Amino acid sequence: MEADSPSPTRLPSEVTNEGVSDMDSLVKPAVLIFAGQSIVSVPSVSAASKVVSATPIPVYQMSWDVTSIPQKGSSAVFERVEEGKVESAITTIDDDQTEKETNSAPPTTRRQKRQHLFYLAHLADAQFQKENPAYYLTTVLPTEMLGNISLEPMATSSGVQFPGKKRPTFKAFLHAGKSARDTPLFAAKSKTPQLLFEASPMSRAKRWMGNGSCSYTWTDSKGNQVAYEEDAGKGSQRQRKLVIATSMEGAKRDALVATWCLGLWHDTAESKEARREALQRWTPPESAWGLAGNGDKMAKRGNALMGFAAGGGGAGC
């Protein structure tokens, strides 16, 4: 971990999932796939057996799919999935109180447990909020996580232009020492928060060289690449990946993955499809035609909402 980043308290128990070693080691590089409510790790090839497990390993879980339309809420619980103890062999006891194995090779199971880490948040009236940013996450483990994080899309001329849209650069700012219990949630504006990560759209050349589209590269506060993401396919075949390219401490990896999910939420919430759905949900059918009692007023409201739906926001892929 870089010298200018706050050193978090070690996690009480490190994740023992794919790519994570013991408590005194760094979290190894991994390939994560966004799978709705779950974030799964793609098992790596064993150097000895050269065999790849067909089953992805869940490493994080959210209370709902933040990329779904219609949107289901203004906050989501973000948890780490940890592997528990392996249960012993299944046995039975006969009338003579003699233990018998149910079969020669009884199956074993590994129970999973979840550790609540963050709340991801995007308020419906975010454009009218002054205290909190439009997209942010708060931690429920102030002594173990880095702190609260705000995600700021930077709509600048440096954004990479894709067909029909411009992808913004994202900056994730760390508000060290802050948690979900604090009021206010973020440091005063007079205090400059620390840059934790920056996600920049890959150049068109790099995007064409890879297998994905609308990809981002993630760097730390020193500009060193820590991960990159790929977004390929459409509809049910769409697959979003975060390739973590370097080892890092558990708390920093947790923050990176949660911030990545927050960025995916931004892309969905600011998309034309989500804005159109919100417009239809909030505008009565008759307002579009200026009918019924206050038709003119409702029509004006509908037009205003339509203008809001069409404007700004950096839509996602």
Side-chain angles (χ1 to χ4, degrees):
M1 193 171 183
E2 291 73 27
D4 61 341
S5 299
S7 179
T9 303
R10 281 288 184 181
L11 302 179
S13 59
E14 282 287 2
V15 187
T16 57
N17 288 329
E18 178 74 14
V20 182
S21 54
D22 61 24
M23 184 174 178
D24 295 325
S25 302
L26 298 176
V27 183
K28 298 177 181 178
V31 178
L32 305 183
I33 297 177
F34 184 89
Q37 286 184 243
S38 298
I39 293 87
V40 299
S41 175
V42 179
S44 59
V45 179
S46 170
S49 63
K50 300 296 183 181
V51 175
V52 179
S53 171
T55 305
I57 303 171
V59 287
Y60 296 98
Q61 181 81 17
M62 289 186 291
S63 55
W64 59 281
D65 180 1
V66 296
T67 64
S68 62
I69 298 175
Q71 295 276 280
K72 298 179 180 179
S74 58
S75 66
V77 172
F78 185 88
E79 301 170 313
R80 187 198 309 120
V81 179
E82 301 176 350
E83 291 184 353
K85 297 180 180 179
V86 177
E87 293 185 352
S88 59
I90 302 173
T91 60
T92 60
I93 301 178
D94 61 13
D95 294 337
D96 297 328
Q97 300 297 307
T98 302
E99 291 188 357
K100 295 181 179 179
E101 290 190 354
T102 56
N103 51 58
S104 58
T108 59
T109 58
R110 186 182 292 275
R111 291 186 176 181
Q112 292 181 341
K113 60 180 180 179
R114 299 176 185 174
Q115 176 63 65
H116 186 187
L117 304 179
F118 301 106
Y119 286 109
L120 276 60
H122 169 53
L123 303 181
D125 58 347
Q127 67 270 27
F128 304 113
Q129 289 281 335
K130 293 183 179 181
E131 295 182 356
N132 299 327
Y135 295 87
Y136 63 91
L137 58 87
T138 59
T139 180
V140 297
L141 299 175
T143 62
E144 299 172 13
M145 296 292 101
L146 300 178
N148 293 343
I149 298 173
S150 58
L151 184 66
E152 306 286 349
M154 303 295 174
T156 65
S157 58
S158 61
V160 177
Q161 184 71 41
F162 290 92
K165 66 194 74 173
K166 178 175 285 188
R167 302 288 290 172
T169 292
F170 291 100
K171 290 188 177 181
F173 293 100
L174 173 64
H175 301 257
K178 290 288 187 176
S179 73
R181 304 171 187 171
D182 290 320
T183 303
L185 293 172
F186 301 96
K189 292 185 178 181
S190 58
K191 297 182 179 180
T192 303
Q194 176 189 349
L195 176 65
L196 183 61
F197 301 114
E198 181 171 335
S200 303
M202 287 185 179
S203 67
R204 192 180 294 249
K206 289 183 178 179
R207 180 168 58 92
W208 284 341
M209 291 174 62
N211 295 323
S213 61
C214 294
S215 300
Y216 275 85
T217 180
W218 289 73
T219 56
D220 60 18
S221 58
K222 288 187 174 181
N224 299 317
Q225 183 183 37
V226 294
Y228 63 90
E229 62 179 278
E230 294 182 348
D231 187 347
K234 295 182 179 180
S236 60
Q237 301 301 315
R238 188 177 187 182
Q239 188 176 78
R240 303 175 179 91
K241 289 182 181 180
L242 180 69
V243 181
I244 302 177
T246 184
S247 299
M248 64 183 70
E249 292 190 4
K252 189 173 182 180
R253 210 271 284 263
D254 293 337
L256 173 63
V257 179
T259 304
W260 171 52
C261 293
L262 193 60
L264 296 181
W265 191 355
H266 167 276
D267 286 352
T268 300
E270 304 298 331
S271 68
K272 292 181 179 179
E273 292 79 4
R275 289 173 177 268
R276 186 182 303 114
E277 189 281 329
L279 174 66
Q280 294 172 348
R281 179 158 38 93
W282 288 102
T283 307
E286 64 271 15
S287 68
W289 305 101
L291 302 178
N294 294 323
D296 291 339
K297 292 182 179 180
M298 294 303 295
K300 291 180 180 179
R301 181 189 176 197
N303 291 334
L305 287 172
M306 184 64 77
F308 171 77
C317 296

